[in-house]
Amino acid sequence: MTNYQSDLLRLMNDRGYIHQLTDANGLDQLASKTIIPGYVGFDATASSLHVGNLVQIMLLRRLQQAGHKPIVVMGGGTTKVGDPSGKDEVRKLLDNDGINANIASIRTSFERFLIFGDGPTDAIMVNNADWLDSLEYIPFLREVGRHFTINRMLTFDSVKLRLDREQPLTFLEFNYMILQAYDFLELSRQHDCRLQLGGSDQWGNIVNGIELGRRIDGAELYGLTTPLITKADGSKMGKSVDGAIWLNEDRLSPYDYWQFWRNTDDRDVGKFMRLFTDIDLSEIARLEALEGAEINEAKKILADAATAMAHGAAAAKDAADTALQTFERGQAGGDLPVFEVAHGEISILNALVSIGFCASKGEAKRMIAGGGARIDDEQIKDAGVMITIADADVKISAGKKKHGLLRRAA
C-alpha cells in the first residue's frame, strides 16, 4: 500500500478514490504543508445532478474534510459547447436562461455536501461562463489554441469513440477540451487553484490543463482521477431500471433515493460505504463482512447514511420508517408516492400510469398479465378493474419494490 504523508491522499487512498495521479509525490508534499484549492467541473445540462456525479461531489467533500478548499465549477460556458466524453451523439444545446436555472437548482444539492463561505477551507461555486463568454476568438486561438495539436487531440478517447463508430463530432464539441484546459488556467490565476479532480474519462482533459498552465504561466498544477465506478453486475452508477437516480428531491423522492441504496448488491456494500458515506472505516470493515440476512441490516445503514447526506437526517428517517411499514409490517408507509384521484374512481391502468409505475397503458397491461400489479396487497388479474377510493387511501403496488397510495381528491 502507498504510504502517503498528507491527510488528503491518505483519505483518498483509504476510501478507494485514487485511480491516477499526475505527480503523486509533488501533490503529497504540497498537501502536507499548505491548503490546496481544488476543483471539479460540472456541466449544467439538467436541473439536478445524479448518483453518477456523486463520486465527484464526494471528492470535493473529502478535499474539505482533509483541510483543503473545494471549488465547484459550474459549466455555464462549456454547457453551451457540450462535452463529447462518453457520448455517442451530439447533445442538445441549452440557452442561457435554461443553463442558469439549472445551476441555481444544482447548487441546492451541493449545499448538503459542502460547507460554503468565505473561510480558507470553505467551498465556493464559480461559473466558467464568467471568463469563457468574454473570450475573443482570434486572440484566444493565438494565445491558447497554438498549444494544442490536432494529432494529439485525435488520440483522446472522447474523440476516437465517435470517429471509430463513424458518428458525427462537431467542431463545436471538438473545442471542449481546449476550453476545459483553459478553465484550469483561469482558476489557477483567479483562485490559486492547484488541483483538478475528476473521473478517469477526464484524464486527458486534466493533463491538457496542467500542461497549458505550465506552458503559459509556469504553474505547477496537479491532477487526480477516480476509477470508473460500476456496480457488481457491471452496470454504471447513477442508473436503475427506472432511469437516473437524481439528487434533487423534486426529481426523485428521498424515499426512492433510500430504496436505491437499500437495494445495493451484497458485493457492493463495503465499496459504496467507503465512497458515498462518512461511516468509519473500521465499522465498514465489520459491516461488509456480514453474511446472509445480516447483510440487509448493513444495506439499511448504507441507505440511511447516503440519504441523510443528500436529503437530511429527517428525510432519511422518514424513508426508513416507510420502508419498515411497507415491507416488514405490510402497512402503507407515510412517505410513499401519492396520486389524488378525482371523483374517487380510477381504472387500474390509469392508476399505474398516473402514479409513475408504468410509462404507458400497454406496459401496465403487461404488468397485470405477469401478475405484478396489486391493490391493497391483492393481486389484480383483470386489466379492466376499476378502483374506488372512499375515505381511506388505497395502496397500489407494482412488483415487489414499487408501492404508492391512491387518495380521493378533496
Side-chain angles (χ1 to χ4, degrees), residues 53 117 145 174-175 181 193 242 246 248 276-277 281 310 368 381 402:
N53 305 114
F174 196 60
N175 282 272
C193 183
D242 303 312
W246 301 102
N248 283 29
F276 302 117
T277 80
L281 291 174
I368 293 169
K381 299 181 180 180
K402 289 183 180 179

Side-chain angles (χ1 to χ4, degrees), residues 17-162:
Y17 293 102
I18 297 178
H19 178 57
Q20 297 161 300
L21 286 163
T22 56
D23 178 1
N25 186 58
L27 178 59
D28 194 30
Q29 291 186 27
L30 185 67
S32 297
K33 61 186 180 183
T34 190
I35 294 173
I36 298 177
Y39 90 95
V40 180
F42 301 86
D43 280 345
T45 54
S47 62
S48 172
L49 299 178
H50 53 72
V51 168
N53 305 114
L54 189 53
V55 71
Q56 312 309 327
I57 299 174
M58 292 301 297
L59 282 175
L60 293 173
R61 183 178 176 89
R62 302 305 184 206
L63 188 72
Q64 189 166 54
Q65 288 175 335
H68 301 279
K69 187 178 185 67
I71 302 175
V72 181
V73 178
M74 293 308 305
T78 43
T79 299
K80 299 171 188 175
V81 176
D83 183 2
S85 300
K87 306 296 187 298
D88 290 339
E89 57 186 21
V90 179
R91 190 161 55 187
K92 179 182 177 182
L93 297 181
L94 303 174
D95 60 19
N96 284 333
D97 289 343
I99 290 170
N100 290 334
N102 285 346
I103 291 174
S105 179
I106 288 170
R107 183 184 174 98
T108 62
S109 285
F110 277 105
E111 290 171 346
R112 294 281 192 183
F113 291 88
L114 302 172
I115 299 170
F116 286 85
D118 299 323
T121 63
D122 287 343
I124 60 173
M125 178 177 283
V126 300
N127 185 342
N128 66 11
D130 292 345
W131 54 84
L132 294 181
D133 281 2
S134 60
L135 289 175
E136 296 179 357
Y137 188 60
I138 299 300
F140 177 72
L141 290 180
R142 286 174 61 88
E143 179 187 4
V144 177
R146 63 190 179 90
H147 295 290
F148 294 81
T149 67
I150 297 296
N151 311 62
R152 187 177 182 195
M153 293 169 76
L154 289 173
T155 67
F156 286 107
D157 288 341
S158 59
V159 174
K160 288 175 60 179
L161 177 66
R162 292 275 192 89

Side-chain angles (χ1 to χ4, degrees), residues 101-353:
N102 285 346
I103 291 174
S105 179
I106 288 170
R107 183 184 174 98
T108 62
S109 285
F110 277 105
E111 290 171 346
R112 294 281 192 183
F113 291 88
L114 302 172
I115 299 170
F116 286 85
D118 299 323
T121 63
D122 287 343
I124 60 173
M125 178 177 283
V126 300
N127 185 342
N128 66 11
D130 292 345
W131 54 84
L132 294 181
D133 281 2
S134 60
L135 289 175
E136 296 179 357
Y137 188 60
I138 299 300
F140 177 72
L141 290 180
R142 286 174 61 88
E143 179 187 4
V144 177
R146 63 190 179 90
H147 295 290
F148 294 81
T149 67
I150 297 296
N151 311 62
R152 187 177 182 195
M153 293 169 76
L154 289 173
T155 67
F156 286 107
D157 288 341
S158 59
V159 174
K160 288 175 60 179
L161 177 66
R162 292 275 192 89
L163 297 181
D164 290 346
R165 295 180 180 178
E166 297 184 355
Q167 294 164 328
L169 176 70
T170 68
F171 179 69
L172 181 65
E173 293 173 288
F174 196 60
N175 282 272
Y176 188 95
M177 64 184 73
I178 302 178
L179 296 177
Q180 183 170 325
Y182 187 73
D183 281 349
F184 205 173
L185 179 66
E186 279 294 324
L187 291 164
S188 171
R189 291 171 173 175
Q190 295 183 27
H191 300 285
D192 194 30
C193 183
R194 307 292 295 277
L195 173 64
Q196 182 179 175
L197 309 107
S200 57
D201 62 330
Q202 295 298 315
W203 177 252
N205 290 332
I206 291 173
V207 170
N208 277 339
I210 291 171
E211 292 187 355
L212 185 65
R214 176 182 57 81
R215 290 183 179 185
I216 293 182
D217 286 353
E220 291 187 19
L221 306 178
Y222 302 90
L224 183 156
T225 66
T226 58
L228 176 65
I229 307 299
T230 58
K231 294 185 278 190
D233 62 5
S235 61
K236 292 177 65 175
M237 277 295 295
K239 297 287 186 181
S240 75
V241 293
D242 303 312
I245 305 302
W246 301 102
L247 300 185
N248 283 29
E249 61 184 64
D250 61 342
R251 300 291 298 268
L252 185 78
S253 73
Y255 171 75
D256 288 329
Y257 191 79
W258 190 93
Q259 280 292 338
F260 169 77
W261 296 105
R262 168 61 181 83
N263 293 327
T264 294
D265 189 292
D266 293 1
R267 297 165 290 178
D268 288 328
V269 170
K271 178 173 74 171
F272 287 178
M273 282 184 172
R274 280 185 285 272
L275 291 172
F276 302 117
T277 80
D278 289 339
I279 298 172
D280 185 83
L281 291 174
S282 60
E283 177 65 2
I284 293 173
R286 183 187 73 82
L287 291 169
E288 70 179 334
L290 298 175
E291 297 179 351
E294 289 185 324
I295 194 66
N296 289 323
E297 295 307 311
K299 293 180 185 181
K300 293 176 187 177
I301 293 171
L302 167 62
D304 288 345
T307 306
M309 192 176 293
H311 296 291
K317 184 179 185 304
D318 287 345
D321 288 346
T322 294
L324 177 65
Q325 294 172 25
T326 302
F327 293 104
E328 297 181 25
R329 296 178 182 168
Q331 302 169 1
D335 205 30
L336 294 177
V338 175
F339 178 72
E340 294 191 346
V341 178
H343 311 300
E345 188 174 67
I346 190 172
S347 72
I348 181 65
L349 297 179
N350 282 332
L352 288 167
V353 172

